[in-house]
Amino acid sequence: MRDPIGCMKPITQKYGGTFTFPGDPPLVMTGDPAGIKAVYTADPDTFEPLNQDLGVFVGPRSLILASGTNHRRARKLMMPPFHGARMRAYGEQMVRLTEERAAGFQIGQTVTMSDVLQELSLDVILQVVFGVTERAGMQALAKLLLEITNGISPLLALFPALRREFGGIGPYARFIERRRRLHAALDELIAKGRATGPREDILSLLLAARTEDGQPMDDDEIRDQLILLVFAGHETTAIAIAWALYALHRPENAAVLGRLRDELSSLGPAPEPENLGKLPYLEAVCNETLRRYPLAPAPAPRKLLRPLDVGGYNLPAGTGVVAAISVAHFREDVYPDPQRFSPERFLDRQYSPFEFLPYGGGARRCLGAAMAGYEMKLVLGTLLRRHKLRLASLKPDNGAVRAANAGPRHGVRMIVEERLS
Ligand code: HEM
């Protein structure tokens, strides 16, 4: 928890790229490309999600808890709205929301970037996914969502036995009341979406989605999926952009920032969001950020329902397995000098999905990968085009687990130096 990225190095030095965390069940982590390939290319029915416990928070019908045919059906319905080509429709909203937030920066002010970026990524989800565009509606829904996503006591998450209401008082009773209010607000939004008919937002596309035999998702399922999308999508993207700002403003990476600024200026004063999204060095910077600062060092463990050979080890049914992203992204043989932040690697070489896997892989690969990648480029590019920033402290930040992800320990505090025209 205290050193989520660095802690893997001594473990791999001692045990190699595939190792077991003892526990019930034992959890086998693999950062070897061959082991990762075995996990990501196995028949999806080989596994079920290991942590069913999340249901109380994200809703029992959410995609992340589904397995087998239920998972395949839900992915099929949810994938098309998140397809890369669709994201272009949302670029203008992403850039406009970033400019609105950045317009509030004062010269000389110290800004905690993780906080600003989290508010911004929630704005993006509310507009792009939920279709809520007026300010008052966005603020009301954001408050309800943040009460749930940020307000969960770690004790409740870790100890299911504490999930009792104790006569209507205590943290669990508070959580249940907040969840009831959130469900009521989302039910109203879904009902409104059904009444208004087709729009551009993702909720509208989910309401219109049909299985091959013509079945829609019902309202309870859509509500659970919306909550999951906030859980999975709002902190992650914000942390990734905060890490990018941190890395780019380290003095040892001044040449990287210079090269990126040159590329951004080459677009002229008012570029189309789509053109920002196509810049190769900006893309390489985002990829290198996701490699060097993996948000999910070892995400979403699966439980084997039948034996599986993982990198030469025959694992019995019942074992937990996970692709260890923070091992894979630091292999010397794949990424020479792996601690160095060097976007050039992504210009010089193409990595396989078993070497570079910030979004996981296989049948459960991140549903929002295209949205996250596009948003990262547009938000980062827009912020850098609008302001000159500097880190408030040059003390290295090795990260810490914030809620569920490995983010900068101190939130990346930056001083606003100059507004650029
Ligand atoms: C930089 C930002 C993000 C990163 C690094 C990230 C990473 C991941 C990872 C590692 C997984 C687990 C994959 C696995 O089990 O193998 C995942 C799953 C998921 N992500 Fe993301 N994610 C990001 C942003 C988003 C966004 C913006 C959304 C949607 C708005 C989203 C929605 C999801 C969903 C729904 C799943 C569960 C997929 C399933 O179980 O089938 N993510 N993500």
Side-chain angles (χ1 to χ4, degrees):
M1 298 289 272
R2 284 204 312 268
D3 186 12
I5 303 172
C7 71
M8 291 294 178
K9 192 172 173 190
I11 299 176
T12 49
Q13 278 170 343
K14 190 161 178 192
Y15 299 107
T18 301
F19 47 87
T20 309
F21 265 74
D24 185 20
L27 186 61
V28 173
M29 294 195 173
T30 179
D32 285 335
I36 293 172
K37 187 172 180 185
V39 175
Y40 285 165
T41 56
D43 176 349
D45 289 340
T46 310
F47 316 98
E48 67 179 9
L50 186 61
N51 190 353
Q52 295 288 348
D53 224 29
L54 278 173
V56 65
F57 303 117
V58 291
R61 306 218 9 225
S62 70
L63 179 73
I64 204 158
L65 295 178
S67 50
T69 38
N70 284 340
H71 183 254
R72 276 193 288 282
R73 177 193 142 276
R75 284 273 310 197
K76 246 192 182 156
L77 289 168
M78 293 176 75
M79 259 334 271
F82 282 95
H83 191 273
R86 275 214 54 79
M87 289 306 130
R88 283 200 288 278
Y90 305 128
E92 300 225 340
Q93 282 164 291
M94 291 175 180
V95 169
R96 187 174 32 76
L97 288 167
T98 312
E99 288 188 331
E100 279 171 22
R101 287 273 163 195
F105 293 176
Q106 304 298 321
I107 306 303
Q109 182 192 1
T110 304
V111 181
T112 305
M113 280 299 170
S114 301
D115 294 348
V116 173
L117 291 165
Q118 242 184 81
E119 287 165 12
L120 172 59
S121 77
L122 192 56
D123 284 354
V124 171
I125 290 187
L126 287 171
Q127 286 215 0
V128 165
V129 178
F130 288 42
V132 181
T133 49
E134 29 80 46
R135 259 291 143 202
M138 279 170 76
Q139 276 165 357
L141 198 52
K143 184 167 176 289
L144 290 172
L145 285 162
L146 289 178
E147 274 178 359
I148 293 280
T149 53
N150 293 349
I152 293 172
S153 148
L155 289 175
L156 285 181
L158 288 172
F159 301 107
L162 293 180
R163 293 180 203 156
R164 285 202 261 128
E165 294 200 46
F166 301 112
I169 51 170
Y172 190 62
R174 227 169 15 248
F175 167 74
I176 293 294
E177 174 51 23
R178 287 170 175 172
R179 195 178 62 179
R180 192 195 55 72
R181 286 206 303 263
L182 175 63
H183 282 192
L186 293 179
D187 288 346
E188 200 182 309
L189 194 68
I190 294 167
K192 227 192 230 165
R194 290 214 189 275
T196 349
R199 293 179 315 231
E200 272 287 300
D201 55 82
I202 288 177
L203 168 58
S204 171
L205 298 171
L206 292 178
L207 290 170
R210 296 288 180 271
T211 55
E212 271 151 25
D213 55 358
Q215 296 303 312
M217 275 190 268
D218 64 38
D219 289 2
D220 284 356
E221 182 179 356
I222 291 195
R223 191 185 59 214
D224 283 0
Q225 308 299 16
L226 290 178
I227 296 175
L228 169 67
L229 293 172
V230 176
F231 262 92
H234 107 281
E235 193 192 53
T236 37
T237 318
I239 288 180
I241 302 167
W243 274 131
L245 286 170
Y246 166 80
L248 285 166
H249 291 84
R250 297 282 313 159
E252 63 274 22
N253 299 327
V256 175
L257 180 60
R259 183 168 176 185
L260 179 58
R261 283 202 175 283
D262 288 347
E263 185 184 66
L264 290 168
S265 321
S266 73
L267 286 181
E272 288 293 322
E274 205 178 325
N275 293 338
L276 208 51
K278 281 187 196 149
L279 291 177
Y281 198 63
L282 178 58
E283 170 140 346
V285 165
C286 292
N287 283 340
E288 178 66 347
T289 303
L290 293 169
R291 178 200 72 82
R292 174 62 185 77
Y293 302 97
L295 305 188
R302 286 101 158 123
K303 185 165 151 192
L304 285 179
L305 296 172
R306 54 177 101 126
L308 182 72
D309 197 303
V310 173
Y313 299 96
N314 195 268
L315 306 180
T319 315
V321 286
V322 65
I325 300 181
S326 55
V327 174
H329 285 189
F330 290 86
R331 290 179 65 94
E332 296 265 359
D333 56 341
V334 183
Y335 301 101
D337 196 0
Q339 298 298 329
R340 202 159 68 88
F341 183 76
S342 171
E344 280 69 13
R345 328 173 182 270
F346 283 89
L347 300 177
D348 297 344
R349 205 190 129 168
Q350 271 223 306
Y351 296 96
S352 82
F354 316 117
E355 294 169 330
F356 179 59
L357 48 143
Y359 300 107
R364 304 197 88 96
R365 183 173 186 271
C366 174
L367 184 84
M371 177 172 168
Y374 199 52
E375 185 177 340
M376 237 183 125
K377 285 186 277 186
L378 266 44
V379 172
L380 185 63
T382 306
L383 284 176
L384 292 176
R385 285 172 54 81
R386 290 282 169 252
H387 287 95
K388 221 166 142 190
L389 304 159
R390 118 176 112 79
L391 287 172
S393 159
L394 290 182
K395 227 171 120 195
D397 189 331
N398 295 327
V401 174
R402 298 162 57 96
N405 300 292
R409 179 179 293 269
H410 306 293
V412 187
R413 289 167 56 74
M414 300 194 84
I415 298 168
V416 183
E417 288 209 303
E418 198 181 326
R419 187 165 288 127
L420 304 172
S421 56

